[in-house]
Amino acid sequence: MIYIFSAFYAEAKNIIDHYGLKKEKSPEMVRFDVFANESIRLVITGVGEINAAAAVSNIGGAYGISPDDEILNVGCGAGFSSDICMGSIFLGNKLTEQMTGRTFYPDMLMKANFRECEIVTVARVLNEGCDSVVYDMEAAAVYQAAAFFVGPHRMHFIKLVSDAGERIDQSKITELFALQEDKICGYIDRLLSACADKAPMDDTQSSWNMDRLICDMRCSKVMGDQLAQLIKYCRLSGIDYKAVLDEYYTNGLLPCESKREGKKCLFELKQRLL
């Protein structure tokens, strides 16, 4: 499941229409508007860090966000430099909470045709700021709340520059997002593809599945997590990792005899696949 969190309906309208999301009759404990289909659940959080953190926590508890789910924060932000023009979109590779100075780093496993930038989450609307930074009011809070449910490799932050600190009409926000709908929904489609491709991890035509692979490589918890991230990256990037793993089993390189051999095998896989 992909969980999308947006502050305004205006930011989410094009996604809702694109995927035919319907307003959900949510459990009684849910305090936010939710739009969903069988693969996506989109939540309107309201503005600001408190609302964003409350929404992620509320939805996570009510629906049971799992470690295999994806968290996507889509919203608008402000930019104050000449190279950040209105209507452009960015993928956050660093999040900074201005109030505390804390920084957070989503793992950038999926290649996208978006420019990357730092997102600074602020408590109030600004009318000036640093170059090459997008300012918003939710991203850092979404990250911190989502960290209770998923790892940083399953968090994604897309921001569309809608203003330079001035007020902007909600209809204008929807228009700006409509211009970038193909790119944003293209990114969501790749996440959906990655989620749908979890089933082939147990492909009966292959001599392995994920649980067996972790066991056969004698993985520790840390090695297992690294292996899972490697496989996810390959899926998202279209790398034929299954053929390589089948080759390892065919040639007797798997199963490994020891954890030491497993570490060597994992290192060699990274060299071949990345």
Side-chain angles (χ1 to χ4, degrees):
M1 178 69 74
I2 299 174
Y3 287 86
I4 303 175
F5 295 90
S6 294
F8 300 114
Y9 179 83
E11 298 170 329
K13 183 181 185 305
N14 295 290
I15 297 173
I16 291 169
D17 293 344
H18 185 97
Y19 292 102
L21 306 182
K22 303 299 182 184
K23 190 168 184 179
E24 197 167 59
K25 186 177 180 181
S26 304
E28 186 177 346
M29 68 185 73
V30 173
R31 297 291 183 263
F32 300 87
D33 287 339
V34 179
F35 299 82
N37 61 20
E38 66 279 0
S39 303
I40 298 172
R41 187 166 281 126
L42 186 149
V43 184
I44 306 301
T45 68
V47 179
E49 289 195 76
I50 292 176
N51 284 329
V56 175
S57 300
N58 184 216
I59 297 301
Y63 292 99
I65 293 176
S66 81
D68 292 328
D69 291 328
E70 304 285 344
I71 304 292
L72 173 60
N73 174 218
V74 177
C76 56
F80 299 99
S81 61
S82 58
D83 66 330
I84 298 181
C85 60
M86 183 179 294
S88 56
I89 53 176
F90 293 84
L91 192 64
N93 58 15
K94 175 183 178 182
L95 313 177
T96 299
E97 186 176 48
Q98 187 184 58
M99 185 179 297
T100 63
R102 297 180 66 191
T103 56
F104 311 95
Y105 295 89
D107 286 344
M108 310 298 287
L109 297 183
M110 190 165 76
K111 294 179 180 178
N113 294 322
F114 295 166
R115 291 170 62 188
E116 296 179 11
C117 76
E118 177 184 1
I119 299 170
V120 176
T121 299
V122 297
R124 60 181 179 82
V125 176
L126 304 179
N127 53 26
E128 62 180 359
C130 299
D131 291 349
S132 303
V133 171
V134 172
Y135 293 85
D136 90 324
M137 301 179 74
E138 293 84 30
V142 170
Y143 183 102
Q144 292 175 82
F148 286 96
F149 304 100
V150 303
H153 60 296
R154 298 199 184 277
M155 298 190 210
H156 315 264
F157 298 84
I158 294 176
K159 296 295 169 178
L160 180 147
V161 177
S162 61
D163 60 89
E166 71 278 7
R167 287 186 175 275
I168 182 169
D169 187 80
Q170 296 290 297
S171 62
K172 180 63 176 179
I173 291 175
T174 299
E175 289 176 13
L176 290 172
F177 272 97
L179 295 174
Q180 298 288 4
E181 180 178 333
D182 288 346
K183 286 187 178 181
I184 293 172
C185 291
Y187 191 93
I188 295 172
D189 287 342
R190 293 184 67 188
L191 289 178
L192 288 170
S193 177
C195 290
D197 198 32
K198 289 174 185 174
M201 295 295 289
D202 297 309
D203 191 344
T204 55
Q205 294 181 355
S206 295
S207 59
W208 56 275
N209 58 46
M210 195 62 199
D211 289 338
R212 179 184 170 188
L213 182 60
I214 289 174
C215 180
D216 287 349
M217 206 175 289
R218 305 295 186 261
C219 288
S220 64
K221 177 64 168 62
V222 172
M223 288 172 60
D225 289 344
Q226 291 176 348
L227 180 60
Q229 287 198 28
L230 174 64
I231 297 301
K232 180 186 177 184
Y233 174 83
C234 290
R235 278 202 231 103
L236 294 172
S237 303
I239 298 171
D240 190 4
Y241 62 92
K242 288 188 281 188
V244 175
L245 289 169
D246 285 339
E247 176 190 320
Y248 271 55
Y249 277 104
T250 300
N251 294 337
L253 299 175
L254 283 169
C256 299
E257 295 293 330
S258 65
K259 186 180 291 187
R260 182 176 181 180
E261 281 191 16
K263 287 182 178 179
K264 181 180 177 182
C265 184
L266 179 57
F267 175 79
E268 291 175 351
L269 279 174
K270 289 180 179 177
Q271 295 295 107
R272 288 191 63 176
L273 295 174
L274 297 180

